[in-house]
Amino acid sequence: MWKFLHKLASPPHFYDLSAKIIPWFSVGALAFIAYGTIAGLFFAPADYQQGDAFRIIYVHVPAAYLSMLAYTAMAVSAGIGLIWRMKLAHAVAAAAAPLGAWFTFLALATGSIWGRPMWGTWWEWGDPRLTSELIMLFLYFGYMALRGAIDDTAKADRASAVLALVGAVNIPIIHFSVEWWSSLHQGPTLVREGGPAIVPAMMYPLLAMIIGFSLLFAALLLARVRSEVLYRERRTHWVRKLLMPSEEST
Amino acid sequence: MELFAMGEYGPFVWSSYFLTLVVVIVSAVQARQRHRQIANGIRQRLKAEETNE
C-alpha cells in the first residue's frame, strides 16, 4: 500500500497514470449525468409542495456537495503538503481551488434561482447556509489570490496551505447550519435519521447526479493537477523528454 | 410543450440546467487550455535554450 502511494506521489508516474484514468472518469460521469438529467427532468414525479421547481435539486445538490468536497480535498491536500512536504499534495490543493470556486458559484446561483419561486426572494442574508456558502466562495477567491500574489511556488504553497486549513472551519458550519440555526433551507434529505426523506423515483436520479458530478470533478481535478505537475516540474529531465522527444533521441 | 413548461417554473428550471451546462463546459475548457498553455510555454523555453546553446 505504502509502496503504491509512494509511487503515485512520483510526478512522472502520476502524470502517466492520470492520463489513463481521466477518460474512464469522463465516460462514467457522462453516463451517470445523462441518466440523472433525463430521469430527474422527465420521469421523477413532481413534488407535492414545490411542483416541478423541485427538479432544480438535481443540479443544485451535486454542486453544493462538490463545493464542500473540493474545499475538503484542498484543505486535506494542503495539510499533507505542509506536514509531509509532499509536492504533489500542494499541486492537488492548487488544482482543487478553481474547481471548488466554480461549483460554489453554481450552488449559489442555482440555489438563488430555486429560492425565487419557493421563498419569494433571490437572496436572504439571514440564512446561515447561504451566507456560509458565500464565505466559502470568498475563501476560494482569497486562496487563489494569495497563490497568484506570491511568485515563489514553495512560499505560495505554504502561505495558501495555512489559509486553506484555517478556512476549513467553515465546512462543518455549512453542513450543520440547517440544524444549528433557524434556516429557510430544508433539513438533510438523503443522509438523516430514519432514512432518506425522498421517494426512490426522486432519489435514484439524485444519487446518479451526485455520482456523475463526483466523477466529473475527479476527471477535472486530475486534468488540472497534471497541468500543475507539468509547470512545477518544468525544469526536470522527464518533462524535457516528454515535450521534446525528438531532441532527446538525437 | 407542457413538459418544457415545468408547470409555471420552466424559466427557473431550465436556466438552472443551462447554467450548470455552461459551468461544466467552461471548467473543462479551462483545464484543457491551461495544460496546453503550460506545455507550449515549456516547449518555447526549451527551444530558446537549445538555440542559445
Side-chain angles (χ1 to χ4, degrees):
Chain A
M1 178 70 181
W2 283 114
K3 202 176 168 186
F4 170 76
L5 286 175
H6 193 260
K7 200 177 171 190
L8 188 68
S10 146
H13 182 71
F14 171 84
Y15 193 86
D16 281 346
L17 186 67
S18 56
K20 289 172 191 150
I21 296 171
I22 289 170
W24 291 101
F25 279 179
S26 305
V27 170
L30 198 68
F32 276 104
I33 291 172
Y35 162 74
T37 304
I38 293 166
L41 279 174
F42 305 116
F43 294 105
D47 184 72
Y48 78 106
Q49 279 183 322
Q50 301 190 26
D52 286 307
F54 104 96
R55 295 181 201 282
I56 296 173
I57 198 174
Y58 297 114
V59 286
H60 174 70
V61 168
Y65 157 72
L66 280 185
S67 70
M68 289 193 283
L69 182 76
Y71 199 96
T72 308
M74 187 175 89
V76 169
S77 306
I80 290 172
L82 208 58
I83 297 164
W84 287 292
R85 296 170 190 265
M86 195 190 283
K87 279 192 279 182
L88 189 64
H90 284 302
V92 172
L99 288 175
W102 271 121
F103 284 111
T104 308
F105 162 75
L106 188 61
L108 286 167
T110 53
S112 180
I113 294 169
W114 195 2
R116 183 68 188 94
M118 292 301 110
W119 303 338
T121 180
W122 296 102
W123 187 264
E124 175 56 54
W125 284 107
D127 187 86
R129 182 162 276 181
L130 288 181
T131 315
S132 52
E133 187 80 9
L134 183 66
I135 289 169
M136 188 160 70
L137 183 64
F138 293 148
L139 281 168
Y140 279 123
F141 288 159
Y143 178 90
M144 289 188 286
L146 187 61
R147 289 202 74 89
I150 304 170
D151 287 333
D152 185 298
T153 309
K155 278 184 187 167
D157 282 343
R158 283 196 296 274
S160 58
V162 172
L163 177 63
L165 287 171
V166 171
V169 75
N170 194 39
I171 297 294
I173 293 176
I174 296 172
H175 185 72
F176 293 109
S177 58
V178 290
E179 293 172 25
W180 290 345
W181 298 291
S182 166
S183 172
L184 287 170
H185 263 89
Q186 62 195 57
T189 305
L190 287 175
V191 184
R192 64 193 278 276
E193 272 182 48
I198 185 170
V199 294
M202 291 173 167
M203 184 176 68
Y204 293 139
L206 182 58
L207 289 174
M209 288 297 261
I210 290 171
I211 295 169
F213 269 74
S214 302
L215 289 170
L216 175 74
F217 173 73
L220 291 173
L221 181 66
L222 286 176
R224 279 189 168 271
V225 176
R226 290 183 90 231
S227 304
E228 277 291 325
V229 166
L230 204 59
Y231 178 74
R232 286 159 185 258
E233 298 280 306
R234 62 191 180 280
R235 299 191 194 285
T236 58
H237 182 70
W238 76 268
V239 169
R240 177 183 282 266
K241 200 174 161 189
L242 180 83
L243 297 177
M244 308 285 276
S246 56
E247 294 192 9
E248 282 293 323
S249 58
T250 54
Chain B
M1 218 45 214
E2 203 177 293
L3 201 68
F4 289 96
M6 293 280 166
E8 55 190 300
Y9 304 115
F12 299 103
V13 174
W14 292 113
S15 59
S16 294
Y17 279 78
F18 177 73
L19 191 65
T20 304
L21 184 68
V22 169
V23 166
V24 167
I25 290 171
V26 168
S27 48
V29 169
Q30 264 188 347
R32 203 180 172 83
Q33 271 181 345
R34 183 160 165 75
H35 189 270
R36 197 171 293 172
Q37 212 174 17
I38 289 171
N40 286 342
I42 298 169
R43 268 194 208 101
Q44 277 176 3
R45 185 181 58 81
L46 290 173
K47 275 181 189 162
E49 279 175 10
E50 294 281 329
T51 314
N52 289 340
E53 279 169 18

mmCIF file of all heavy atoms in Angstrom, chain A residues 81-98:
data_model
loop_
_atom_site.group_PDB
_atom_site.id
_atom_site.type_symbol
_atom_site.label_atom_id
_atom_site.label_comp_id
_atom_site.label_asym_id
_atom_site.label_seq_id
_atom_site.Cartn_x
_atom_site.Cartn_y
_atom_site.Cartn_z
ATOM 1 N N GLY A 81 0.634 18.523 2.366
ATOM 2 C CA GLY A 81 1.785 19.220 1.777
ATOM 3 C C GLY A 81 2.596 19.977 2.816
ATOM 4 O O GLY A 81 3.825 20.000 2.765
ATOM 5 N N LEU A 82 1.867 20.562 3.757
ATOM 6 C CA LEU A 82 2.517 21.360 4.801
ATOM 7 C C LEU A 82 3.282 20.473 5.788
ATOM 8 O O LEU A 82 4.406 20.782 6.175
ATOM 9 C CB LEU A 82 1.438 22.158 5.542
ATOM 10 C CG LEU A 82 1.827 23.481 6.190
ATOM 11 C CD1 LEU A 82 2.397 24.445 5.179
ATOM 12 C CD2 LEU A 82 0.602 24.094 6.870
ATOM 13 N N ILE A 83 2.668 19.365 6.179
ATOM 14 C CA ILE A 83 3.278 18.498 7.190
ATOM 15 C C ILE A 83 4.377 17.605 6.587
ATOM 16 O O ILE A 83 5.482 17.537 7.092
ATOM 17 C CB ILE A 83 2.197 17.636 7.893
ATOM 18 C CG1 ILE A 83 1.214 18.550 8.641
ATOM 19 C CG2 ILE A 83 2.835 16.630 8.867
ATOM 20 C CD1 ILE A 83 -0.078 17.891 9.041
ATOM 21 N N TRP A 84 4.021 16.905 5.497
ATOM 22 C CA TRP A 84 4.983 15.936 4.929
ATOM 23 C C TRP A 84 5.763 16.492 3.732
ATOM 24 O O TRP A 84 6.498 15.768 3.094
ATOM 25 C CB TRP A 84 4.256 14.644 4.539
ATOM 26 C CG TRP A 84 3.857 13.855 5.744
ATOM 27 C CD1 TRP A 84 4.702 13.232 6.609
ATOM 28 C CD2 TRP A 84 2.531 13.613 6.231
ATOM 29 N NE1 TRP A 84 3.985 12.608 7.601
ATOM 30 C CE2 TRP A 84 2.653 12.826 7.394
ATOM 31 C CE3 TRP A 84 1.254 13.971 5.805
ATOM 32 C CZ2 TRP A 84 1.555 12.405 8.128
ATOM 33 C CZ3 TRP A 84 0.162 13.550 6.525
ATOM 34 C CH2 TRP A 84 0.314 12.792 7.683
ATOM 35 N N ARG A 85 5.537 17.772 3.422
ATOM 36 C CA ARG A 85 6.249 18.442 2.323
ATOM 37 C C ARG A 85 6.162 17.659 1.013
ATOM 38 O O ARG A 85 7.147 17.508 0.283
ATOM 39 C CB ARG A 85 7.729 18.667 2.690
ATOM 40 C CG ARG A 85 7.890 19.603 3.849
ATOM 41 C CD ARG A 85 9.293 19.628 4.353
ATOM 42 N NE ARG A 85 9.375 20.348 5.615
ATOM 43 C CZ ARG A 85 9.694 21.623 5.723
ATOM 44 N NH1 ARG A 85 9.946 22.329 4.657
ATOM 45 N NH2 ARG A 85 9.753 22.197 6.896
ATOM 46 N N MET A 86 4.956 17.138 0.748
ATOM 47 C CA MET A 86 4.754 16.391 -0.493
ATOM 48 C C MET A 86 4.343 17.389 -1.586
ATOM 49 O O MET A 86 3.311 18.052 -1.468
ATOM 50 C CB MET A 86 3.662 15.338 -0.275
ATOM 51 C CG MET A 86 3.614 14.283 -1.364
ATOM 52 S SD MET A 86 2.150 13.263 -1.186
ATOM 53 C CE MET A 86 2.639 12.215 0.147
ATOM 54 N N LYS A 87 5.157 17.483 -2.643
ATOM 55 C CA LYS A 87 4.905 18.482 -3.688
ATOM 56 C C LYS A 87 3.580 18.224 -4.417
ATOM 57 O O LYS A 87 2.859 19.137 -4.767
ATOM 58 C CB LYS A 87 6.064 18.469 -4.689
ATOM 59 C CG LYS A 87 7.263 19.248 -4.207
ATOM 60 C CD LYS A 87 8.260 19.464 -5.318
ATOM 61 C CE LYS A 87 9.125 18.241 -5.524
ATOM 62 N NZ LYS A 87 10.141 18.409 -6.558
ATOM 63 N N LEU A 88 3.286 16.937 -4.620
ATOM 64 C CA LEU A 88 2.068 16.593 -5.347
ATOM 65 C C LEU A 88 0.815 17.039 -4.572
ATOM 66 O O LEU A 88 -0.190 17.436 -5.169
ATOM 67 C CB LEU A 88 2.012 15.084 -5.621
ATOM 68 C CG LEU A 88 0.899 14.612 -6.552
ATOM 69 C CD1 LEU A 88 1.073 15.181 -7.954
ATOM 70 C CD2 LEU A 88 0.856 13.095 -6.620
ATOM 71 N N ALA A 89 0.905 16.995 -3.236
ATOM 72 C CA ALA A 89 -0.241 17.400 -2.408
ATOM 73 C C ALA A 89 -0.543 18.885 -2.609
ATOM 74 O O ALA A 89 -1.707 19.281 -2.716
ATOM 75 C CB ALA A 89 0.050 17.108 -0.940
ATOM 76 N N HIS A 90 0.502 19.711 -2.672
ATOM 77 C CA HIS A 90 0.295 21.144 -2.923
ATOM 78 C C HIS A 90 -0.294 21.362 -4.322
ATOM 79 O O HIS A 90 -1.125 22.250 -4.521
ATOM 80 C CB HIS A 90 1.621 21.900 -2.789
ATOM 81 C CG HIS A 90 2.048 22.112 -1.370
ATOM 82 N ND1 HIS A 90 1.264 22.770 -0.448
ATOM 83 C CD2 HIS A 90 3.180 21.743 -0.712
ATOM 84 C CE1 HIS A 90 1.903 22.813 0.713
ATOM 85 N NE2 HIS A 90 3.056 22.196 0.576
ATOM 86 N N ALA A 91 0.128 20.535 -5.275
ATOM 87 C CA ALA A 91 -0.410 20.646 -6.643
ATOM 88 C C ALA A 91 -1.904 20.323 -6.646
ATOM 89 O O ALA A 91 -2.690 20.986 -7.330
ATOM 90 C CB ALA A 91 0.350 19.712 -7.585
ATOM 91 N N VAL A 92 -2.298 19.314 -5.857
ATOM 92 C CA VAL A 92 -3.721 18.940 -5.761
ATOM 93 C C VAL A 92 -4.520 20.099 -5.147
ATOM 94 O O VAL A 92 -5.592 20.463 -5.642
ATOM 95 C CB VAL A 92 -3.904 17.642 -4.932
ATOM 96 C CG1 VAL A 92 -5.379 17.363 -4.670
ATOM 97 C CG2 VAL A 92 -3.272 16.457 -5.644
ATOM 98 N N ALA A 93 -3.977 20.686 -4.079
ATOM 99 C CA ALA A 93 -4.669 21.802 -3.420
ATOM 100 C C ALA A 93 -4.850 22.972 -4.387
ATOM 101 O O ALA A 93 -5.941 23.547 -4.489
ATOM 102 C CB ALA A 93 -3.877 22.241 -2.186
ATOM 103 N N ALA A 94 -3.783 23.296 -5.114
ATOM 104 C CA ALA A 94 -3.850 24.416 -6.065
ATOM 105 C C ALA A 94 -4.855 24.136 -7.180
ATOM 106 O O ALA A 94 -5.543 25.043 -7.652
ATOM 107 C CB ALA A 94 -2.467 24.674 -6.649
ATOM 108 N N ALA A 95 -4.934 22.861 -7.598
ATOM 109 C CA ALA A 95 -5.839 22.493 -8.696
ATOM 110 C C ALA A 95 -7.302 22.448 -8.242
ATOM 111 O O ALA A 95 -8.214 22.689 -9.045
ATOM 112 C CB ALA A 95 -5.428 21.143 -9.264
ATOM 113 N N ALA A 96 -7.513 22.136 -6.969
ATOM 114 C CA ALA A 96 -8.893 21.998 -6.465
ATOM 115 C C ALA A 96 -9.582 23.356 -6.304
ATOM 116 O O ALA A 96 -10.812 23.445 -6.416
ATOM 117 C CB ALA A 96 -8.883 21.256 -5.125
ATOM 118 N N ALA A 97 -8.789 24.411 -6.048
ATOM 119 C CA ALA A 97 -9.380 25.722 -5.736
ATOM 120 C C ALA A 97 -10.275 26.295 -6.846
ATOM 121 O O ALA A 97 -11.433 26.646 -6.573
ATOM 122 C CB ALA A 97 -8.279 26.712 -5.368
ATOM 123 N N PRO A 98 -9.802 26.398 -8.100
ATOM 124 C CA PRO A 98 -10.691 26.966 -9.119
ATOM 125 C C PRO A 98 -11.938 26.117 -9.367
ATOM 126 O O PRO A 98 -13.028 26.657 -9.611
ATOM 127 C CB PRO A 98 -9.816 27.039 -10.383
ATOM 128 C CG PRO A 98 -8.586 26.285 -10.102
ATOM 129 C CD PRO A 98 -8.454 26.144 -8.634
#
